[in-house]
Amino acid sequence: MRDDDRWPGHPRLLPDESISSWFTRTAAANGLRPGELYRIVQPGGDRNPRDFDRHADYCLLDLLANKTGLPVEDLKLATFRRWSGRLFEHDDGLNKLAWLPPAGREGGRRCFGQQICPWCLRADAQPYLRLNWRLSFFTACPIHGRLLLDRCPTCAEPFSILRQDGWGTICCPGCGADLRDFTGDEPALDTAPVQRDLLDLIRDGWRSLGEYGPVYSFAVLEMLALLLRLLAGGKHAHALRLWLAEQDSSLAVRRESLPRVRDGALLTPRARGVLVTMAHWLLAEWPHRFVEAAKTVGMTSTDLRKRPVGEYPFAYAHAVDWRLKESHKGDATEEIAAAAQLLQGHGQSASRRNLVALCGTKLGSMGRVAEPVASGRLWGKGRYWKLDGVSPEVKAAARRAAHRAGEDVGPWLDTLLRRMLGLGATKTPFDRHDPDTITPDANVGCEE
Ligand SMILES: [Zn+2]
Ligand SMILES: [Zn+2]
């Protein structure tokens, strides 16, 4: 490409600058607004350019490289592609990226994925945005120690550099406030060591997770995102936070500064910083801290794994399935045998129904232990009484009448029929008014 094909203004990329920030400065250097330059490079493109940091494609990057003389490789590293295979496995451009939430407005929705440090902007000769500010585990400025802002403190509009109108400054697209005029607050706790560690993790591309050996960084970060989700919302979040604060006093934070939300990316930088630090603490010594926490607050595999095993990082799915499996129902044979003995000691039959009543739950192996009830009798195990020709209304009315009488249908019908047929009363396998009786054993019922 000849030099005279270049645009007159072609600024360098500044340290860690994001491509959207550089694009905005390039537009300004050529006397244009970012939206105007965008329509030149993408004729017929959307009026509001989509998140450049994520969606700038190779075609566009090549064109920009040609028009500015910058190496295309440098431009690529100013997009999310910098973290491909490290922060995420790969990006199809459609699915959510766990640690890179969208920025600005997407389809009318406000997205708070662009964070800024107003102190850095004030210190810049030319204010610009850092790509690291897009990482949602990055919640405080490592230079100034203050929380990043993820929305305008005046009008709560999310930041979107491509909607800039002014030149040489960075303003809120909602109210036009100069972002250098704001200050970031103190973080609730020191998040710097965790941020540094996670940046190191991305740089290394892997981490050793105890017995699971080296694990890819994107899988470790996916696990961290799962832990953050447990801490951010859901029925165990509060208990988990309390437990963590007991384990490590540096994690004790005022409750009201931690709202509960389903999606950790929607938290403010203050709350997100605390919860990421907690999740990071849980991830250490994998899986021991996590397993202890889950057992203490009563989380089991049912709470922790909703999707098929293959959709989770192995180190997570394995820890959940092997250490936090809901008490395996087939393995309770001893408990069932003890329950059967207890029933027999009270002169009760150890029938399946009585066992279920005593144990408070249905266990698969009860069938093997349970004794058939008074075989040959009407209420024997599995002896359903077929009543061909009995209409559904009569069955339903019989069931209602039995329940009104406080009986199950079988004994109720038995009593009724005996009376009708002039037969004497017989003792059922238990006496329902015996105080030791657990529950009636009435296996007889109308087949539905
Ligand atoms: Zn700063
Ligand atoms: Zn504003």
Side-chain angles (χ1 to χ4, degrees):
M1 160 141 310
R2 298 193 323 275
D3 277 359
D4 53 8
D5 276 349
R6 287 196 188 154
W7 293 326
H10 39 82
R12 289 178 303 114
L13 268 168
L14 296 168
D16 187 33
E17 182 167 21
S18 68
I19 191 139
S20 54
S21 170
W22 170 82
F23 184 84
T24 303
R25 289 195 305 114
T26 303
N30 292 286
L32 297 167
R33 295 193 173 85
E36 292 168 336
L37 183 60
Y38 181 74
R39 280 189 290 283
I40 292 171
V41 295
Q42 299 275 76
D46 204 323
R47 234 182 72 80
N48 291 310
R50 286 190 81 192
D51 190 346
F52 255 35
D53 298 341
R54 179 173 184 187
H55 297 292
D57 58 22
Y58 281 114
C59 237
L60 180 62
L61 293 179
D62 271 335
L63 177 73
L64 292 174
N66 282 334
K67 290 290 187 190
T68 57
L70 262 66
V72 70
E73 209 47 37
D74 290 1
L75 294 179
K76 206 178 96 181
L77 291 177
T79 69
F80 289 177
R81 288 195 178 84
R82 179 197 290 181
W83 296 310
S84 183
R86 289 167 181 268
L87 178 63
F88 49 85
E89 193 169 4
H90 80 109
D91 179 14
D92 60 7
L94 299 171
N95 286 303
K96 268 194 208 168
L97 297 174
W99 295 100
L100 293 166
R105 281 181 181 266
E106 292 227 333
R109 220 162 39 93
R110 297 188 306 155
C111 307
F112 300 100
Q114 177 67 67
Q115 306 176 103
I116 60 126
C117 171
W119 302 76
C120 281
L121 295 181
R122 266 208 293 284
D124 288 339
Q126 237 183 336
Y128 72 99
L129 304 184
R130 282 68 168 167
L131 192 60
N132 277 350
W133 291 347
R134 294 297 308 267
L135 294 165
S136 63
F137 62 71
F138 208 82
T139 53
C141 173
I143 300 162
H144 300 100
R146 298 304 190 96
L147 285 171
L148 302 179
L149 297 177
D150 71 344
R151 65 201 72 193
C152 171
T154 308
C155 73
E157 182 71 12
F159 302 127
S160 175
I161 184 132
L162 296 171
R163 288 168 63 203
Q164 285 301 301
D165 262 343
W167 288 313
T169 59
I170 300 181
C171 297
C172 164
C175 66
D178 188 330
L179 302 189
R180 290 176 297 188
D181 294 341
F182 297 119
T183 53
D185 291 333
E186 294 274 354
L189 51 82
D190 182 13
T191 55
V194 168
Q195 281 179 201
R196 252 199 320 274
D197 182 63
L198 294 176
L199 288 178
D200 287 349
L201 168 65
I202 296 174
R203 190 201 54 216
D204 298 343
W206 65 278
R207 171 146 305 174
S208 180
L209 283 191
E211 64 199 71
Y212 295 101
V215 175
Y216 281 120
S217 52
F218 60 79
V220 177
L221 283 153
E222 200 183 325
M223 291 164 68
L224 190 71
L226 289 165
L227 298 178
L228 177 65
R229 209 181 161 84
L230 293 173
L231 285 159
K235 60 180 175 178
H236 297 289
H238 181 55
L240 211 47
R241 294 170 185 183
L242 286 179
W243 183 82
L244 281 159
E246 274 169 27
Q247 307 307 306
D248 186 335
S249 57
S250 73
L251 298 175
V253 190
R254 281 195 353 269
R255 260 182 78 177
E256 56 272 31
S257 60
L258 294 179
R260 284 208 307 195
V261 297
R262 266 184 60 213
D263 187 351
L266 296 178
L267 292 160
T268 60
R270 174 189 293 276
R272 196 166 358 102
V274 174
L275 297 180
V276 167
T277 307
M278 287 180 166
H280 185 268
W281 191 94
L282 273 179
L283 188 68
E285 298 171 23
W286 189 261
H288 305 296
R289 288 179 176 183
F290 167 67
V291 169
E292 197 189 334
K295 284 186 173 162
T296 310
V297 306
M299 288 189 298
T300 64
S301 52
T302 318
D303 306 304
L304 295 166
R305 189 168 71 68
K306 312 265 187 207
R307 291 176 276 134
V309 182
E311 293 184 24
Y312 290 89
F314 175 75
Y316 177 85
H318 186 270
V320 167
D321 281 4
W322 283 85
R323 293 165 189 265
L324 296 165
K325 193 89 184 158
E326 192 112 53
S327 61
H328 192 47
K329 294 182 170 178
D331 285 343
T333 317
E334 274 178 32
E335 285 87 338
I336 297 167
Q341 235 169 25
L342 184 73
L343 283 168
Q344 283 151 358
H346 282 78
Q348 307 286 311
S349 83
S351 65
R352 189 173 148 69
R353 194 179 174 104
N354 282 351
L355 285 170
V356 170
L358 181 61
C359 299
T361 174
K362 281 184 185 167
L363 301 172
S365 48
M366 278 178 173
R368 292 201 301 275
V369 176
E371 56 189 57
V373 182
S375 109
R377 297 266 188 98
L378 277 174
W379 38 80
K381 180 179 190 249
R383 285 170 183 274
Y384 286 89
W385 188 21
K386 285 200 173 166
L387 286 174
D388 290 334
V390 176
S391 68
E393 298 113 274
V394 171
K395 283 183 189 173
R399 208 177 296 120
R400 277 198 303 276
H403 289 166
R404 268 200 303 278
E407 293 266 22
D408 280 333
V409 182
W412 180 81
L413 264 180
D414 186 70
T415 312
L416 183 73
L417 291 175
R418 277 176 185 280
R419 206 164 52 229
M420 300 284 292
L421 300 168
L423 297 171
T426 189
K427 198 168 159 45
T428 50
F430 54 84
D431 180 341
R432 56 182 302 113
H433 301 297
D434 179 343
D436 284 343
T437 298
I438 312 287
T439 187
D441 186 280
N443 285 341
V444 178
C446 301
E447 195 179 70
E448 293 291 306

